[in-house]
């Protein structure tokens, strides 16, 4: 469990994915990638870690990921094989907002 702060960079413990926190909600959360909790950039990856097959949807570089309530937003800075989850709930790619009609 970690408290997220905007601007914090994290990396996956089991794949190459890296993210930056753009928007953080209040309180402690469990942010995982590939089924393992994400690490601070300075932390060493544990040896032999593998992506959980159920969490192998992938993370795409340049995409923003958010939860259903949009309380947390992450920017993927390096892609990887693991998919992101927050407190056990899968994060989804944030969709662009539709522009108003010009009529």
């Amino acid at each position: 469990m970690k408290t997220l702060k905007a601007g914090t960079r994290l990396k996956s413990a089991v794949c190459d994915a890296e993210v930056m926190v753009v928007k953080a909600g209040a309180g402690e959360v469990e942010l995982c990638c590939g089924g393992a909790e994400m690490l601070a950039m300075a932390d060493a990856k544990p040896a032999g870690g593998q992506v959980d097959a159920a969490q192998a949807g992938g993370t795409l570089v340049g995409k923003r990921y958010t939860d259903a309530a949009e309380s947390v937003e992450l920017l993927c800075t390096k892609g990887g094989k693991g998919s992101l989850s927050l407190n056990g709930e899968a994060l989804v790619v944030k969709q662009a907002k539709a522009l108003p009609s010009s009529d």
Side-chain angles (χ1 to χ4, degrees):
M1 294 286 219
K2 294 179 181 175
T3 302
L4 298 179
K5 181 178 171 186
T8 302
R9 295 185 62 209
L10 301 167
K11 66 181 178 182
S12 173
V14 294
C15 69
D16 294 332
E18 294 179 6
V19 299
M20 182 171 68
V21 178
V22 175
K23 180 180 173 185
E28 291 190 349
V29 295
E30 183 179 25
L31 178 62
C32 296
C33 181
E37 189 164 10
M38 296 196 78
L39 306 170
M41 294 301 284
D43 293 346
K45 287 186 180 184
Q50 293 187 353
V51 175
D52 183 354
Q55 301 288 322
T59 305
L60 302 173
V61 67
K63 296 293 183 184
R64 291 175 182 254
Y65 291 85
T66 186
D67 60 345
E70 295 190 4
S71 62
V72 172
E73 184 175 328
L74 306 171
L75 172 63
C76 178
T77 56
K78 187 174 181 183
K81 294 180 181 176
S83 56
L84 298 169
S85 64
L86 182 73
N87 296 330
E89 178 185 336
L91 297 181
V92 296
V93 174
K94 185 175 182 179
Q95 300 299 316
K97 292 181 180 176
L99 295 173
S101 175
S102 62
D103 292 336

